Amino acid sequence: MAELYENYSLKKHNTFGIEASAKYFFEFESQNEICDFLDKNNIVDTNYLILGGGSNMLFTEDFDGLVLYPCIKGIEILEEDENTVLLRVGCKEDWDEFVAWCVERNYSGIENLSLIPGVVGASPVQNIGAYGVEVQEVIEKVEAVSIESRSPVTFNKLHCEFDYRNSVFKNEYKNLFIITHVQFRLQKQAQFKVHYGAISEELENYNEVNLKIIREVIIKIRESKLPNHEVLGNAGSFFKNPIVEKEQADKLKAKFEAMPTYEISDFETKIAAGWLIEQCGWKGKQIGNVGVHNDQALVLVNYGNAKGYEVLKLANDIRKSVLFKFGIKLEMEVNAI
Ligand code: EPU
């Protein structure tokens, strides 16, 4: 049942665990409920926000508007043949529980994305990725409701303009559509992607490779580096790994031999932001209620009652020092509201 709340606490709705409230908060469980609500309330020109699992959000102050909170659940098999299965998944399904569900049934494609926090509906927005896999590789369609036309729309994959931690839903379509379901095409004959250094090293401790083992290994690696947000508030990688011109990367590499780089094309190189931040002396630093994680400098953490603006201040100080030392502008991966 749909429900509209007033002055609603968002603390449980952001993995940073930051206290902030929303003037209005509308929770709904189906496309019909949201279309109905939009028919009765023209919100196009109001201040509104679509909230998923809150694992990529930083509330810097109270939100004086309307939060739209889709709670559509369910996993449906739309098509199935010898080789593949097409699943339609409700946006509120927990991402990692969905990965576990697939691994359990031997559907492969997303096992490398184990333990990523958040919900299924948010996965296409920033094209979640880890350990050599991006979710765009398995997305076939994204279903949404248009806020303007108040009706359901389906986007095929090409329409989503997926890129590194990016999609059309973060750009031209930002805040225009509420993603309600995602369709994933998964493989029944597993094709393992284990070339990422840390995975292949860890797999040497096993006699065989299967989906369950890959999931186990990924969980182990993530748990060793990334803090659990239920214990220590955080939003995963706070910054994107910067992509710079190859020429600039080559110059830096000549000066800083150990700098981890990944070739993107003949012209562009991606650099590990965590390394840049660590080199500027930030790793493990705590400033008041906020800090830079001990084991992964790309992750900013809330040590207690941090306010969003404190996190933002730390982020800006980090950006300044990386710009000063390396001439690289770090871009935030997290959405600051
Ligand atoms: N590194 C450091 N110091 C650090 C952190 C990293 O020197 O404090 C170095 C590592 O030694 C390694 C390189 O940087 O050589 C890359 O580190 P890592 O493998 O930990 O991955 P990452 O590039 O820092 C990205 C994603 C993560 C994802 C991992 C694994 C982004 C912004 N982040 O991090 O995604 O889990 O790769 O694939 O692309 C997230 O988006 O929230 C997230 C956690």
Side-chain angles (χ1 to χ4, degrees):
M1 266 277 286
E3 195 95 43
L4 180 66
Y5 301 92
E6 238 184 291
N7 299 321
Y8 189 90
S9 169
L10 298 170
K11 187 164 177 156
K12 287 204 183 92
H13 290 280
N14 70 101
T15 59
F16 253 121
I18 280 171
E19 183 58 271
S21 68
K23 182 103 176 73
Y24 299 105
F25 186 94
F26 181 63
E27 186 176 315
F28 54 94
E29 290 174 4
S30 67
Q31 286 193 335
N32 281 345
E33 283 180 356
I34 183 64
C35 290
D36 233 37
F37 178 83
L38 295 172
D39 268 338
K40 290 184 186 131
N41 306 275
N42 185 359
I43 67 161
V44 172
D45 296 320
T46 65
N47 188 17
Y48 66 87
L49 167 79
I50 303 157
L51 186 63
S55 59
N56 212 32
M57 287 268 174
L58 175 66
F59 292 107
T60 55
E61 53 187 28
D62 286 340
F63 184 67
D64 187 26
L66 165 71
V67 170
L68 297 172
Y69 186 59
C71 286
I72 301 172
K73 303 265 280 185
I75 305 177
E76 228 181 299
I77 296 181
L78 293 183
E79 273 172 38
E80 188 168 9
D81 62 26
E82 247 172 73
N83 301 315
T84 70
V85 60
L86 180 65
L87 303 171
R88 178 179 192 248
V89 187
C91 60
K92 181 63 192 323
E93 289 294 337
D94 176 79
W95 174 262
D96 189 54
E97 282 173 21
F98 170 54
V99 175
W101 188 94
C102 294
V103 167
E104 199 61 39
R105 286 158 182 78
N106 261 314
Y107 299 155
S108 96
I110 53 174
E111 54 287 350
N112 289 33
L113 306 180
S114 288
L115 215 63
I116 292 186
V119 290
V120 165
S123 63
V125 178
Q126 56 150 343
N127 182 20
I128 58 171
Y131 307 105
V133 172
E134 287 187 349
V135 75
Q136 62 150 321
E137 292 162 38
V138 292
I139 288 182
E140 191 142 309
K141 285 184 179 151
V142 173
E143 296 177 44
V145 164
S146 153
I147 291 196
E148 199 166 355
S149 75
R150 305 155 196 184
S151 53
V153 226
T154 300
F155 300 102
N156 62 30
K157 180 185 177 157
L158 270 183
H159 211 138
C160 300
E161 296 176 16
F162 289 121
D163 203 349
Y164 168 60
R165 292 296 192 278
N166 211 353
S167 77
V168 75
F169 304 108
K170 270 181 97 170
N171 297 292
E172 291 106 286
Y173 291 175
K174 189 172 177 169
N175 260 341
L176 298 184
F177 296 93
I178 304 167
I179 294 174
T180 57
H181 302 84
V182 183
Q183 294 182 23
F184 301 93
R185 171 90 56 188
L186 298 178
Q187 302 296 322
K188 288 184 167 177
Q189 324 293 336
Q191 294 153 350
F192 308 124
K193 292 204 176 156
V194 293
H195 54 279
Y196 200 91
I199 307 181
S200 49
E201 276 166 34
E202 189 60 41
L203 278 174
E204 282 169 16
N205 300 321
Y206 294 79
N207 296 326
E208 54 166 336
V209 182
N210 61 42
L211 294 185
K212 283 204 178 97
I213 289 175
I214 294 180
R215 176 165 161 81
E216 198 177 300
V217 161
I218 302 267
I219 289 177
K220 203 167 157 191
I221 298 170
R222 283 188 79 94
E223 282 180 340
S224 73
K225 281 194 183 180
L226 298 166
N228 177 348
H229 66 81
E230 280 163 17
V231 181
L232 195 60
N234 75 89
S237 300
F238 195 89
F239 300 100
K240 291 185 190 179
N241 285 330
I243 296 173
V244 302
E245 282 182 13
K246 188 173 180 302
E247 203 186 317
Q248 185 186 2
D250 288 346
K251 273 191 194 150
L252 283 170
K253 190 87 183 169
K255 202 165 159 198
F256 305 99
E257 256 173 58
M259 185 175 79
T261 54
Y262 319 91
E263 251 180 45
I264 299 283
S265 68
D266 289 346
F267 317 101
E268 288 180 316
T269 304
K270 197 195 270 181
I271 301 181
W275 186 89
L276 298 172
I277 297 168
E278 182 175 349
Q279 296 307 304
C280 292
W282 287 105
K283 196 169 182 171
K285 265 207 177 160
Q286 183 174 351
I287 293 142
N289 291 318
V290 296
V292 178
H293 189 51
N294 266 325
D295 304 317
Q296 165 54 290
L298 203 45
V299 178
L300 305 192
V301 295
N302 172 5
Y303 281 108
N305 299 311
K307 295 280 181 209
Y309 66 81
E310 294 174 87
V311 181
L312 211 53
K313 161 92 173 58
L314 172 63
N316 283 332
D317 289 344
I318 291 172
R319 292 174 80 185
K320 272 185 218 155
S321 61
V322 169
L323 183 62
F324 186 70
K325 190 171 167 92
F326 298 102
I328 292 178
K329 275 191 183 162
L330 289 184
E331 215 181 292
M332 274 168 59
E333 205 218 308
V334 167
N335 294 309
I337 306 290

